[in-house]
Amino acid sequence: MSDLSKMTLAGARDALRKGETTSVELTETFLKAIEGAGALNAFVHHTPEIALEQAKAADARIGAGDAPDMCGLPIGIKDLFCTKGVPSQAASAILEGFKPEYESTITQNLFDAGAVMLGKLNMDEFAMGSSNETSTYGNAVNPWRRGNDDAQLTPGGSSGGSASAVAADLCLAATGTDTGGSIRQPAAFTGITGIKPTYGRCSRWGVVAFASSLDQAGPMTKDVRDAAIMLEAMCSYDAKDSTSANLPVPNFEAMLTGDIKGKTIGIPKEYHMDGMPDEIEKLWADGTAMLKAAGAKIVDISLPHTKYALPAYYVIAPAEASSNLARYDGVRYGHRAKLEAGDGITEMYEKSRAQGFGQEVQRRVMIGTYVLSAGFYDAYYNRARRVRALIKKDFDDVFAAGVDAILTPATPSAAFGLGEMKDADPVQMYLNDVFTVTVNLAGLPGIAVPTGLDSKGLPLALQLIGKPWEEGDLLNTAYALEQAAGFVAKPAKWW
């Protein structure tokens, strides 16, 4: 067969069923590719023994005719997911050496379906970042380059390692998590597909928490069909997660007809931001025309509270982070600072957290603690919660008026260079999430679909936002957009 690493999940699944290859052969191909891709720093914990053991078991299942769709397919797991007996650090020094004695619900679902874990993937520390530059493992690197420029680019964040690995064909697909855009933005920066499902569709149990009311896991894949296949395997009701929705999980792949005739697509005027690059405006206009040509009705809509989304997000997310990260104190597990004579428990807490948490995590914990403090709780946190309710109502009103999906840009630019933002105001980095945070605040499903290249040859993507619990319909609209755009570009190998 041709290069096995270039296959999609669907293609590999079909090849395995036809006996054209084996899971062991596929797995060995990817393990070799990972060994030669150290320059990308995408994989940070390698699990070849586990992978080959799982691959052999998958081949036996396929041979016996007991093979779910994901059976035998090698994937990568973001380091935010707890994997039994395997380091699960959330890319933070404070969790160094932590090997869980349990499996996250999502990874358990994937393994029960026969998926093969190649290893753990790089990410921003505790999922806090938009460029994968806050990781204790060092930067993950985008496999794409700007024309003939050798400058290393960000793969986006926080799921940067997942995005880089999928784009570079180091795995068939990967898990990601999205708190404010951390699946969709890196997918856009690397020319792959990433979907954040409705809040509650995938269990959060065993996923290290950043902001509990915003975090949601999802797949990062080479195309929309693969996203449908993997999302179905990841989803389930979970009694261990109080926010998990007890709803049936559809066969998302079966819903991919590409027929969107009669669907109504909304174009929100508030997403036409001041200073938006012409290339992004053109991409958006072209995507709108593609959906119209496919039979959709295009309508202008208003989401009036959009301008308050970033400020509200950067109050709510740090507040929840400061609460969630209070448990990392150097007592039970992870990093504990060496103490000097006379140091007590307070000094142990202070030194362990100062050494274990990186600068961005420290910044967000401090912001969160401030907005939750007695004198500022109502002025900041409660006000942000009220704004969040208004943002959700904007979407509810639009969907109630007959809109089936909303089309927006996924990011305000193509991938930027690693280090280019290091001297910028932190708010400049936060603006990377300007098109994505509203979806998390409203708990809606959103998907990034690669649809073009910028003038320097870097991928650009559009985002589709769907109704709650209607991922199948959203995936079908994304499938129609993908078919119309015909994006097939891949990064030229330099690593």
Side-chain angles (χ1 to χ4, degrees):
M1 293 185 72
S2 58
D3 189 349
L4 296 175
S5 68
K6 299 286 191 290
M7 299 179 87
T8 61
L9 283 174
R13 172 194 64 186
D14 296 345
L16 287 169
R17 303 306 178 275
K18 292 174 185 173
E20 295 170 352
T21 187
T22 65
S23 181
V24 168
E25 188 179 4
L26 262 178
T27 301
E28 288 173 339
T29 297
F30 283 112
L31 291 174
K32 185 176 179 183
I34 292 165
E35 276 181 26
L40 297 177
N41 198 29
F43 277 88
V44 291
H45 297 297
H46 301 263
T47 57
E49 297 87 0
I50 293 172
L52 288 169
E53 185 180 317
Q54 289 175 329
K56 287 172 187 169
D59 282 333
R61 283 181 77 174
I62 292 167
D66 167 33
D69 283 343
M70 288 294 295
C71 192
L73 303 181
I75 61 172
I77 303 296
K78 185 177 179 178
D79 195 41
L80 205 64
F81 292 79
C82 288
T83 42
K84 186 175 181 179
V86 177
S88 304
Q89 279 184 239
S92 180
I94 206 157
L95 280 174
E96 186 174 2
F98 175 54
K99 294 182 180 180
E101 288 301 313
Y102 54 90
E103 198 72 51
S104 79
T105 298
I106 285 176
T107 49
Q108 189 64 61
N109 288 349
L110 288 165
F111 299 155
D112 287 348
V116 173
M117 179 175 70
L118 296 164
K120 303 295 285 292
L121 292 159
N122 206 347
M123 55 176 281
D124 279 297
E125 184 182 7
F126 281 105
M128 298 181 195
S130 302
S131 62
N132 216 133
E133 293 176 281
T134 69
S135 170
T136 191
Y137 309 121
N139 304 338
V141 180
N142 195 325
W144 291 81
R145 289 282 172 90
R146 282 186 293 224
N148 296 319
D149 187 348
D150 288 341
Q152 292 188 338
L153 304 180
T154 175
S158 64
S159 307
S162 299
S164 177
V166 175
D169 296 322
L170 305 184
C171 54
L172 289 175
T175 62
T177 63
D178 192 310
T179 305
S182 289
I183 286 174
R184 291 159 289 152
Q185 185 248 26
F189 277 3
T190 56
I192 65 170
T193 299
I195 181 169
K196 181 205 91 72
T198 310
Y199 181 79
R201 178 64 93 175
C202 287
S203 171
R204 292 183 300 108
W205 194 85
V207 182
V208 178
F210 164 14
S212 301
S213 74
L214 300 164
D215 299 342
Q216 190 63 190
M220 303 181 73
T221 60
K222 296 181 182 181
D223 62 21
V224 173
R225 182 173 296 279
D226 284 6
I229 293 167
M230 188 167 171
L231 180 61
E232 184 182 350
M234 292 172 69
C235 292
S236 68
Y237 168 65
D238 183 8
K240 297 192 293 292
D241 175 5
S242 63
T243 63
S244 176
N246 192 1
L247 292 171
V249 180
N251 182 337
F252 294 124
E253 187 184 9
M255 302 172 80
L256 300 181
T257 63
D259 182 5
I260 58 168
K261 290 184 179 68
K263 295 290 183 183
T264 300
I265 307 297
I267 309 296
K269 66 180 183 180
E270 289 80 9
Y271 283 60
H272 289 279
M273 302 289 183
D274 291 339
M276 185 189 292
D278 291 342
E279 287 178 320
I280 301 291
E281 285 277 12
K282 183 179 185 303
L283 184 83
W284 194 7
D286 289 348
T288 303
M290 289 174 197
L291 292 176
K292 187 174 183 179
K297 176 185 174 185
I298 307 298
V299 297
D300 291 325
I301 61 170
S302 178
L303 299 167
H305 294 93
T306 295
K307 62 184 174 183
Y308 304 116
L310 266 180
Y313 174 85
Y314 279 103
V315 170
I316 292 169
E320 295 186 10
S322 75
S323 177
N324 279 325
L325 270 60
R327 72 193 73 174
Y328 305 113
D329 52 17
V331 176
R332 290 174 290 273
Y333 48 79
H335 175 75
R336 180 185 294 187
K338 289 181 178 165
L339 303 181
E340 299 172 8
D343 283 349
I345 191 165
T346 300
E347 287 78 14
M348 187 196 73
Y349 287 159
E350 289 174 348
K351 290 181 179 180
S352 296
R353 290 167 68 82
Q355 293 169 14
F357 289 144
Q359 189 175 42
E360 182 61 29
V361 173
Q362 290 180 27
R363 179 186 292 119
R364 298 199 196 191
V365 167
M366 289 171 70
I367 291 169
T369 304
Y370 177 80
V371 302
L372 289 176
S373 59
F376 301 101
Y377 191 90
D378 285 328
Y380 291 106
Y381 185 65
N382 268 342
R383 183 173 292 182
R385 289 172 61 209
R386 289 196 292 272
V387 170
R388 178 182 190 171
L390 292 172
I391 290 168
K392 184 178 185 305
K393 185 177 184 301
D394 287 347
F395 284 105
D396 291 345
D397 291 347
V398 164
F399 291 135
V403 168
D404 295 294
I406 297 166
L407 182 71
T408 77
T411 57
S413 70
F416 50 88
L418 288 165
E420 287 181 4
M421 301 280 278
K422 72 175 185 296
D423 297 323
D425 184 312
V427 175
Q428 286 295 111
M429 186 68 86
Y430 298 163
L431 288 171
N432 277 287
D433 303 329
V434 67
F435 298 125
T436 52
V437 295
T438 52
V439 180
N440 299 78
L441 288 167
L444 299 172
I447 185 169
V449 182
T451 43
L453 298 172
D454 75 354
S455 59
K456 295 176 181 175
L458 294 179
L460 297 170
L462 291 172
Q463 173 182 232
L464 282 159
I465 304 167
K467 296 178 180 178
W469 314 115
E470 295 192 15
E471 289 86 0
D473 195 50
L474 178 66
L475 284 159
N476 186 50
T477 306
Y479 183 63
L481 178 62
E482 176 186 71
Q483 298 297 106
F487 184 91
V488 293
K490 294 286 289 183
K493 186 170 180 180
W494 55 265
W495 57 92

